[in-house]
Amino acid sequence: MLRSLNSGVSGIRSHQTMLDVIGNNIANVNTAGFKKSVVTFQDLLYETSRGATAPQGDIGGINPMQIGLGTTVAAVETIHSAGPLQYTGNRTDVAIQGDGYFVLNNGSGNVYSRAGNFVLDGNGNIVQSGTGYTVMGYQLTVDPNNPSQYIRGTQLVPLNIPVGQKLSAKATEVLGMQCNLDSRVPAYLPMGLTNPNFTTIAEIGGTAYNVSIAEDTSGTNLLTVKIGNETVGLKPSGINATTGLPVFDDASVSLGGNTYTLHFDDGTGELQLLDSSSNVTWKQQISGIMDYATLSFKGNDNMTRTYLAEFTDKGDGNMAMTLWGQDSSNNWSSFSVDVPVNADGTFAIPAGGLIVPETSNQFAGNVDVKLNATGDGKGLIFLASVDNGTTYEVASTLNQRTSSIHTTKIDIYDSLGNPHTVEVAFEKIGANEWRWRAWFPSEPGIPISNNTGVIKFDSDGKLTGSGVANVDLGFSSVGAMDSQVKFDFSGESLGKSLIDGVTQFGSDFTTKAYYQDGYAMGVLQDYSIGSDGNIMGVYSNGRTNALYSIALALFSNPAGLEKTGMTNFIPTANSGLPQLVAPGSGGAGTLAGGNLEMSNVDLADEFTKLIIAQRGFQANARVITTSDQVLEELINLKR
């Protein structure tokens, strides 16, 4: 009898514990970050009245005979499944979507919680509402090698939002360019051959010969043509008034033991190879790769003559202009003059004009020619004098092809945080070659050097070479420190690929300055928390800088954590040590700002368990009352 009484008592006690756990779960149904608990029962020791025996011969074995002594609570397990998110709209509230626990400091050590009900205290610290425990994380600093990335500190620190803190001005160090230059546009000035590497194959007398055409840099001829191992020069002797193409003297070529005549048809633009009977044995259209301008001057003899003009980029941003035409002896020759160019790409002709060439009276008709710039500086005015240089009249005008120039503007900053608008222009100077220029359009008094260069592209439209240039800016002229800005056309300095920088494809101009890392002084006004746990400070100058990264802790056995109240946990010997990671990495979940994780208690489930616990309690109570009645009957036997 006493055994059944004890069993009933143990059942009552165990189910009372179950009721206590269920009651606590229900009480915390609206507690943010609360994790419910469940009770697991197990039976107690058994009194063995008879042991088991093995089968022997024809007699079977006997099972043990045991009488149980009741039940006990084996464990009260915490269920760490995620609770539903509730939107609060409070920017300091944070919920974890996935695994992990916030790291909080209670003044004597770290505790861990899923409750992200955070607020700012009087010192600007982010603390847990109701407990005042400070939220811990890692400080973030800008990566000096990649300003678009941040370096995370190695020590946990309290998260502090210093509202009103000043962000010092920063001088621009990197200026990034992106998108496309239109490969279809011609060079911005007549630059001679548009394809200096032109090659083709000629079938002559049953033999294939490699043919290449290039400009003659010696000044003797305008073009050189190489057929096989034979190289011949083409010297101009006139200009076709209808087509504007140069007229070349014929040249003799020996190929395979035969002599041929190299002839350029200035009417059709074909380069032809004629045999001894003047039959065309090979021809190639080359007018499409010839880019020259024609200019007309009237001499003292009152005759107008036409000259062929082309430009060569000198490599320093200036231009060399070459004119082909009749000299004072009526022979065709070339006249060259260096033409200075301003930082913004306009022609920098000195006052009084620029004589072409530097020694006068070399043009046919004994005419003096000098250059002036047009009003916008984008063109050249050719002035001719027929009275020994005392009176000049406009003879011809040559304008830059502005449709082949693409410009972009962006504000950069000096060390004092003052903005300065820099303009960058791209001028096509040849096949797959562009010259860039940088200048201050509204502040010409600020010195700028190393502000021009050439970028080149390969046949697939991508940059060749480094695609980076260092431009020196003399900001000391306006009271700031002189600085150097890295112009990045490749995107590499920001961790991007070549295709993310400046490209040259056959589509419209889109290249622009898309990034610079300087800024004026600002004051911290606001902040936000991203899904990656980064706390971004929002400053009055429009900057958003990462201040901290919220830390999350992972445990190998979260069920082993010990509840300390206030919806917080501490590690135990069976939980494992905390592994601190950033949200979204190392298996940790991401964060949802403006949300709270609610309790994972399911009322329907708890009420069902409540009924089960109640019935279990009642049943065990019946065991006690029944045992009591049996004892009473036993006592009544003595009456």
Side-chain angles (χ1 to χ4, degrees), residues 380-584:
L380 291 176
I381 300 174
F382 291 81
L383 301 170
S385 173
V386 294
D387 56 0
N388 297 322
T390 58
T391 303
Y392 286 87
E393 297 178 350
V394 176
S396 291
T397 302
L398 190 153
N399 292 309
Q400 296 180 15
R401 297 160 181 160
T402 54
S403 60
S404 298
I405 303 174
H406 178 67
T407 61
T408 181
K409 294 181 180 179
I410 191 173
D411 282 346
I412 62 174
Y413 294 84
D414 61 25
S415 59
L416 298 177
N418 297 312
H420 305 274
T421 300
V422 64
E423 185 166 358
V424 181
F426 297 89
E427 308 161 346
K428 187 173 184 180
I429 60 175
N432 300 331
E433 287 188 301
W434 296 75
R435 173 166 291 282
W436 63 270
R437 303 177 189 272
W439 70 96
F440 295 109
S442 57
E443 298 175 291
I446 297 179
I448 180 170
S449 57
N450 301 323
N451 59 316
T452 185
V454 175
I455 55 177
K456 298 181 179 182
F457 300 87
D458 54 24
S459 57
D460 63 359
K462 297 179 183 178
L463 275 172
T464 61
S466 66
V468 173
N470 294 315
V471 178
D472 296 316
L473 307 176
F475 285 139
S476 59
S477 61
V478 291
M481 293 176 59
D482 291 338
S483 65
Q484 186 179 81
V485 176
K486 179 191 292 184
F487 280 50
D488 179 23
F489 306 103
S490 67
E492 291 181 341
S493 63
L494 300 178
K496 298 179 179 294
S497 64
L498 286 175
I499 197 67
D500 294 315
V502 179
T503 58
Q504 183 206 236
F505 295 114
S507 59
D508 293 340
F509 285 109
T510 57
T511 292
K512 62 180 180 180
Y514 73 100
Y515 173 83
Q516 65 85 30
D517 60 350
Y519 44 82
M521 187 206 79
V523 177
L524 183 64
Q525 294 179 322
D526 202 355
Y527 67 95
S528 62
I529 302 176
S531 62
D532 58 357
N534 288 353
I535 300 177
M536 306 298 294
V538 181
Y539 294 84
S540 59
N541 58 2
R543 296 288 301 180
T544 55
N545 280 3
L547 304 175
Y548 299 96
S549 174
I550 294 177
L552 292 184
L554 296 176
F555 295 90
S556 56
N557 176 30
L561 293 172
E562 180 182 333
K563 290 182 177 181
T564 62
M566 308 294 184
T567 64
N568 295 320
F569 302 87
I570 59 173
T572 67
N574 197 40
S575 66
L577 295 175
Q579 303 172 35
L580 301 181
V581 296

Side-chain angles (χ1 to χ4, degrees), residues 3-19 39 41-44 69-73 612-624:
R3 285 182 303 202
S4 62
L5 283 172
N6 289 332
S7 295
V9 170
S10 68
I12 287 177
R13 288 175 176 173
S14 297
H15 283 84
Q16 181 60 57
T17 301
M18 183 178 180
L19 285 170
V39 176
F41 292 157
Q42 70 181 16
D43 52 0
L44 285 175
L69 301 179
T71 185
T72 187
V73 175
I612 294 172
Q614 179 186 10
R615 294 307 181 194
F617 187 96
Q618 290 176 334
N620 281 276
R622 292 294 180 268
V623 171
I624 295 175

Side-chain angles (χ1 to χ4, degrees), residues 269-301:
E270 288 183 347
L271 186 64
Q272 301 172 347
L273 201 62
L274 310 179
D275 60 17
S276 57
S277 301
S278 298
N279 296 316
V280 178
T281 61
W282 172 80
K283 62 183 179 180
Q284 173 68 46
Q285 178 63 248
I286 66 169
S287 60
I289 65 170
M290 301 173 67
D291 184 16
Y292 300 98
T294 55
L295 305 168
S296 298
F297 306 131
K298 183 183 288 187
N300 284 332
D301 54 7

